[in-house]
Amino acid sequence: MVSEQLLSAIEGAKVLMVGAGGIGCELLKTLALSGFQDIHIIDIDTIEISNLNRQFLFRQSHVGQSKAKASTFTCIFLVARDAVLRFRPNISITPYHANIKESRFNVDFFKEFDVVLNGLDNLDARRHVNRLCLAAHVPLVESGTTGFLGQVTVHLKGETECYECHPKPAPKTYPVCTITSTPSKFVHCIVWAKELLFEKLFGNKNQENDLNVSSSDASNSSEHSEDVFECRIDEEIEQYGRRIYDHVFGLNIEVALSNKETWKNRNKPRPIYSKDVLSEKLTKQNGNTEKVSATDDVSAMSSLALKNPQVVWSLAENSRVFLESLRLFFLKRGKEIGNLTFDKDDQLAVEFVTAAANIRASSFGIPLHSLFEAKGIAGNIVHAVASTNAIIAGLIVIEAIKVLKRDNNNYRMTYCLEHPSRKLLLMPVEPYEPNQSCYVCSETSLSLEVNTHRSKLRDVVEKIVNARLGMNFPLLMLGATILYEVGEDLEEDMVAVYAANLEKALSELPSPVISGTVLTVEDLQQELKCCINIKHREEFDEKEHDGMLLSRWVEPPADKDGNKPIGNGESPSSVLPTEEILEGEKDVEIQETSEPTEMLQGRKENRPMFRKESVPIMLKKKGRSETDDVDLSDCTLMALTMSWQISAKVGVNCDIFLVGTVLSVFQSFGHNFGYGC
Amino acid sequence: MNGEELTEQETALYDRQIRVWGADAQRRLSKSHILVYGMKGTVAEFCKNIVLAGVGSVTLVDDRAVNEEALSTNFLVLPDENLYHGKTLAEVCCDSLKEFNPMVHVSVEKGDISTFGVEFFEKFDAVVISCCSLAKKKLINQKCRKLPKHIAYYTVDCRGSCGEIFVDLKNYKYSKKKLEETIECQLEYPSFEDAIAAPWKALPKRVSKLYFAMRVIEQFEDIEGRNAGQTSIADLPGVLKLRKELCETNSVNESQIPDALLERLLTGTSEFPPVCAIIGGILGQEVIKAISGKGDPLKNFFFFDAMDGKGLIEDISKP
């Protein structure tokens, strides 16, 4: 099938694979079989048992130790590499066990490759690679899978959209008060259990969010809580456990209830005390019949003879697990306390968080969940199967070969659907032209609304530059003054200046940042530069809980003489679609495929994701005329079909999430020009 | 809920896919037996997928010796003569597959599959046939259909950058959740023989050209007494002639089956690895669906052509 000429192009090609997990294994195998001979792989991870169901190059014997121990571990790609070399001994596979964000993987590094293939599982890394590929002018083939869904997309600078032309939503977060005071979904309870309680008990005790937020007397409660969470001298663990239980599930709820306003229009939670759920005798029994476990696998479930992680425990069982897991942490893993972070592969941690979340859920009248389900939510587990990864890998290689052939007219974005649409299970779509408003690949300015007297430079750096703009090593300038930068060989006095600047309010910086100021933000590694126009705003509502609003900058219209209006500084700024998704609780949640997100969101309402007026800008198909009319009714239908199908398939009693594929499919359906033969 | 629960090891190993199709489905998979005939690249991919998914057992049939083709497109065949010397293709693949998942029982059956009796097929829940002549495909299909037991039957063929899957689930009942309700579904599949006997004229206008092209080549091989895939560009005149005859008989325009497509299928007798991965993946999903009883199965043909990148489903049966 492959011509001589093409074969030699393939054999001579230098390919970079970023990520060697589920897709990576399949991809490495298919690349090798297809004749590629010079493959480089970057991956940071080690192998876990749950990887084995779809990463066929790994064996049981390769499973690394738990991350906490990490005395011996096996690098994914080293094993994958060895496995592939067994059936293709003469090819070159160069592994890098590292984080793709390291400075050595700079533009010059990327320039060496003919094509870059992403098999990543997080948005951050994908954005980073996108920028480097743009800067290096190297074609990028992106991909992702979740369950039976998947997609492959091709990105060439100047010819197609870049990966960020349509902002992918950042992981979902919830307002603090929902988590601390008014949970209404199980996921809120999980976040509470994981980020607040687990953190407080076993992690950093000096966390910001106090577990007694509902109390009106702030100073009193924080003092009080300090005592509460510390184990007292001469206090037995069992007693300590019960005391904590009663405090967070009993007393705290009572205190919350005293604030009548909160509960005017909401169902009241009920306080739960351990004595009401568990008899004294029973806990004592548990204490006496402590299993001396021979293995290192400390588990409350084992200790309590609860075998099946798929079963939903009763309130009493959850309470026992809560107390027993807490006890086991102190008894068997005391050294780790104070430094622990939640890890979905830490059985005891998962048990604790499940139990705690369930008790809280019970208190608030929210349905309980099994450990299996809770683990999936807490661990942001992406469900996955080998076959989908194999399909996607095949599609990636086909696109990679087109890239090598410079087969410009035949690049395709391919969507692997679970349910056929117009007979198609694999749907190829022509790539779109770059989005002219994309701040990454087309030079577009941004606008930031912020309270310049209240917000500090640190807020802008962390929440906007790092998080939203995805810049890892930013340089912030105002005119010729550098306000802040990150780097390896900075002078000490400059470092001090920058550190001081971070803590200052924007308007109080040595070069004040006020309304009308234009900040230049750059990431030298990504070769990305951006202008941010600052606009001062006094108040932000609850939904904008960052206290800042980032959007696309639109030049104020010039008057007849071509002069810009001298006004009140009110610049019209149209909002990027992202804004709809990021602020507050949204009805529809789009998630990047194989992207572990913080939370899941139920689907209340089905509506097209793009506002009609923004469509002509975004959906400009390659080679087509300026404005194609887009019929969004098809998109809505697709969305409806997909959402119930996904929820039906998952069948788990928790919230569902739509896959990023759907977002892209919306676009493709807008441009469906008859896919018959 | 039956008493046989997944072991702790299974739950841990299959965690990610249990989140896709549920513990119940996983249990059913672990009790299933799959028969696979014709160990080419695509089938190797398929086997890898179902072994990783945790089926109960896989039985491989292919008495051919390891050849050049296998070494180039079948990743289960390692290029170490010490490993494959004296062994059949099935045996070599069996050795490799076993390593992927020790919980799956992989074995080899030797002999001419057309001589195996009906009772042999009764052991299986799914049968996958590849590298097979038209006559053999029909024969095995008939044997499977004869049995009262429900056996899922599949054929798969990849030629160059194209691939075809055929599915026969007889009378297939399954249930699915729509919103909060459970709906009972039933599908009736035609046998392979009946399906391909569907008059071309009666098929919808937009049916994949690949369907017709594969039928022409299939018949050509049958008439010429060739083994499956044993064609070359030299056969083009003969194939075009056959196309003419078939189109006349069926009263369809010859343009339905372009020359270029036939050429590609004739010359591309060796498999293209990315297509193996794609077809093997789709087939893997189908078998998993049929065994677990979860998900809408494909009915009844699937085609993929790397040239246009479309993977489509055609429902072809006698009216």
Side-chain angles (χ1 to χ4, degrees), chain B residues 33-197:
Chain B
H33 306 284
I34 322 291
L35 175 68
V36 180
Y37 175 83
M39 296 307 301
K40 282 180 83 171
T42 310
V43 175
E45 283 281 339
F46 162 74
C47 288
K48 175 245 313 158
N49 293 333
I50 59 168
V51 165
L52 288 176
V55 295
S57 80
V58 180
T59 307
L60 309 175
V61 184
D62 198 324
D63 290 343
R64 294 177 293 179
V66 172
N67 56 16
E68 266 311 307
E69 192 193 349
L71 287 166
S72 70
T73 57
N74 186 333
F75 75 98
L76 295 176
V77 179
L78 305 179
D80 182 350
E81 244 208 283
N82 297 326
L83 289 177
Y84 67 72
H85 182 71
K87 288 192 175 172
T88 65
L89 209 41
E91 284 169 330
V92 172
C93 293
C94 180
D95 291 339
S96 297
L97 281 171
K98 277 182 170 146
E99 290 187 19
F100 293 166
N101 189 348
M103 291 197 268
V104 178
H105 185 248
V106 189
S107 65
V108 169
E109 189 72 40
K110 290 193 167 182
D112 181 357
I113 197 170
S114 29
T115 63
F116 295 171
V118 165
E119 19 5 282
F120 171 77
F121 293 96
E122 192 163 22
K123 289 184 273 184
F124 303 101
D125 302 288
V127 169
V128 174
I129 308 292
S130 184
C131 318
C132 210
S133 66
L134 181 59
K136 244 184 206 164
K137 279 184 188 174
K138 289 185 197 172
L139 182 64
I140 298 170
N141 188 206
Q142 279 158 19
K143 288 186 179 165
C144 292
R145 289 193 75 118
K146 261 202 182 97
L147 292 161
K149 176 185 185 182
H150 181 270
I151 301 178
Y153 174 87
Y154 304 83
T155 69
V156 60
D157 284 295
C158 282
R159 305 179 72 116
S161 51
C162 299
E164 173 189 82
I165 296 174
F166 167 77
V167 181
D168 176 11
L169 302 180
K170 271 199 321 191
N171 296 319
Y172 183 69
K173 292 193 184 75
Y174 67 107
S175 56
K176 65 182 183 187
K177 279 209 181 87
K178 197 164 183 169
L179 299 169
E180 293 301 320
E181 292 177 8
T182 310
I183 308 178
E184 295 298 321
C185 305
Q186 184 167 358
L187 294 171
E188 279 216 37
Y189 286 74
S191 69
F192 183 70
E193 185 158 15
D194 283 349
I196 63 173

Side-chain angles (χ1 to χ4, degrees), chain A residues 228-509:
Chain A
V228 167
F229 288 96
E230 286 286 336
C231 189
R232 296 170 188 151
I233 309 167
D234 289 346
E235 185 178 35
E236 279 192 12
I237 288 298
E238 286 81 4
Q239 200 182 335
Y240 171 65
R242 286 203 161 212
R243 187 163 61 74
I244 298 295
Y245 184 112
D246 292 340
H247 183 83
V248 299
F249 301 122
L251 183 64
N252 273 1
I253 303 293
E254 304 239 18
V255 170
L257 283 169
S258 66
N259 189 342
K260 304 262 188 255
E261 264 306 301
T262 319
W263 310 110
K264 242 167 61 167
N265 299 319
R266 292 188 178 96
N267 290 330
K268 294 195 183 120
R270 60 178 184 109
I272 303 178
Y273 290 95
S274 55
K275 65 170 164 44
D276 302 325
V277 180
L278 301 168
S279 69
E280 282 295 329
K281 223 169 88 176
L282 226 50
T283 4
K284 280 223 175 94
Q285 267 182 358
N286 278 336
N288 288 339
T289 57
E290 176 197 325
K291 261 173 83 172
V292 178
S293 55
T295 67
D296 287 322
D297 284 340
V298 175
S299 156
M301 277 175 72
S302 303
S303 176
L304 296 168
L306 289 167
K307 292 250 168 82
N308 192 346
Q310 305 248 347
V311 158
V312 179
W313 304 322
S314 64
L315 176 60
E317 285 167 331
N318 274 298
S319 302
R320 278 188 215 112
V321 173
F322 178 88
L323 293 169
E324 180 64 3
S325 53
L326 192 149
R327 188 182 77 91
L328 287 172
F329 263 118
F330 277 89
L331 225 61
K332 301 276 181 170
R333 298 174 58 179
K335 286 188 205 140
E336 297 170 59
I337 294 178
N339 289 317
L340 278 168
T341 45
F342 178 81
D343 181 342
K344 68 183 188 298
D345 297 306
D346 181 344
Q347 176 67 15
L348 198 57
V350 173
E351 290 171 352
F352 178 83
V353 167
T354 302
N358 273 329
I359 300 166
R360 186 169 175 81
S362 176
S363 178
F364 283 84
I366 298 169
L368 274 57
H369 287 64
S370 69
L371 181 118
F372 180 78
E373 292 164 336
K375 179 179 169 182
I377 301 169
N380 298 314
I381 294 179
V382 179
H383 46 295
V385 292
S387 48
T388 319
N389 288 336
I391 295 167
I392 294 303
L395 293 170
I396 293 171
V397 175
I398 289 174
E399 291 306 312
I401 292 176
K402 288 180 197 170
V403 163
L404 292 178
K405 278 201 298 191
R406 301 279 188 279
D407 194 359
N408 287 14
N409 293 319
N410 284 320
Y411 299 137
R412 292 289 177 269
M413 324 272 264
T414 311
Y415 300 95
C416 177
L417 307 175
E418 190 185 353
H419 301 276
S421 167
R422 297 174 206 218
K423 300 197 302 186
L424 289 170
L425 264 186
L426 299 177
M427 185 186 307
V429 171
E430 278 180 51
Y432 297 98
E433 283 183 12
N435 180 1
Q436 296 306 318
S437 337
C438 176
Y439 72 87
V440 179
C441 71
S442 315
E443 282 179 31
T444 304
S445 297
L446 296 171
S447 161
L448 180 65
E449 288 170 61
V450 60
N451 185 322
T452 56
H453 303 306
R454 237 181 3 227
S455 294
K456 300 184 203 165
L457 185 63
R458 173 186 287 284
D459 298 324
V460 174
V461 168
E462 285 175 1
K463 294 176 185 162
I464 301 295
V465 179
N466 289 343
R468 287 290 303 282
L469 300 183
M471 293 186 182
N472 302 310
F473 299 105
L475 170 73
L476 270 95
M477 292 180 77
L478 198 168
T481 315
I482 302 177
L483 292 173
Y484 178 76
E485 69 178 311
V486 182
E488 278 163 358
D489 29 71
L490 298 175
E491 287 164 24
E492 268 195 44
D493 53 349
M494 290 317 294
V495 173
V497 170
Y498 299 144
N501 281 353
L502 280 180
E503 304 311 321
K504 297 199 170 115
L506 294 172
S507 54
E508 278 155 36
L509 287 163

